[in-house]
Amino acid sequence: MLENIYTELIAEHSQSRENRRTLPNATVKERGHNPSCGDEITLELAVVDGVIADAAFSGTGCAISQASTDMMIELMRGKTVTEAQKLAELFIAMIHGDITDDAELDALDEVAALKNISTMPARVKCATLAWHTLEQSLNK
């Protein structure tokens, strides 16, 4: 059952076009690249008064990197920069297997379904590409 939800989420979010666009009012633009597989994204954020008012991305990569980016954007929209930083830290800790408690992961909403990627070392960089790029963006 959980495997089906994971597969459906990856398929749905990797093919979604809603967040795959340029953001005319972007205040931050950051490129992320995974040299080990060639995944590449450009993350654009519109941060207004400390809140991520909007976000979008462009790029190419495997289904996991694209789905993770799309899911991240949906989760981050409307969050403060501080909240977004905490969620990014939580996601990365989950993918590295450092946090496994479902109650702690509730803040990630549907993104927590990517938890099993922690058991696929070759896919960890794919899943975390957008999140590391987000961290770099928010630190500017």
Side-chain angles (χ1 to χ4, degrees):
M1 175 79 174
L2 190 60
E3 184 64 30
N4 289 347
I5 292 169
Y6 166 81
T7 305
E8 286 174 23
L9 276 175
I10 295 289
E12 175 187 329
H13 283 280
S14 68
Q15 295 168 12
S16 174
R17 296 287 173 242
E18 179 184 337
N19 296 315
R20 192 180 298 263
R21 55 193 166 89
T22 57
L23 204 56
N25 60 335
T27 55
V28 181
K29 187 175 185 177
E30 187 73 31
R31 182 177 172 267
H33 181 245
N34 179 356
S36 61
C37 68
D39 291 350
E40 190 172 281
I41 64 160
T42 299
L43 180 65
E44 297 181 46
L45 304 174
V47 180
V48 180
D49 297 327
V51 174
I52 299 172
D54 201 1
F57 79 105
S58 58
T60 59
C62 70
I64 290 174
S65 76
Q66 302 297 288
S68 183
T69 305
D70 189 69
M71 293 167 80
M72 178 195 75
I73 286 173
E74 290 189 4
L75 182 65
M76 295 303 161
R77 198 174 279 123
K79 301 286 191 287
T80 67
V81 168
T82 303
E83 289 170 326
Q85 288 168 325
K86 288 178 183 172
L87 289 168
E89 289 171 13
L90 179 61
F91 178 83
I92 291 167
M94 175 189 77
I95 293 296
H96 287 137
D98 299 331
I99 297 177
T100 56
D101 180 38
D102 288 338
E104 271 188 87
L105 299 176
D106 277 350
L108 292 174
D109 199 30
E110 74 174 356
V111 181
L114 301 179
K115 180 171 139 178
N116 290 342
I117 290 174
S118 66
T119 64
M120 302 177 250
R123 304 313 252 159
V124 166
K125 286 183 180 178
C126 303
T128 59
L129 173 63
W131 299 80
H132 285 301
T133 305
L134 176 68
E135 286 183 320
Q136 292 168 349
S137 297
L138 296 176
N139 288 330
K140 289 190 168 180

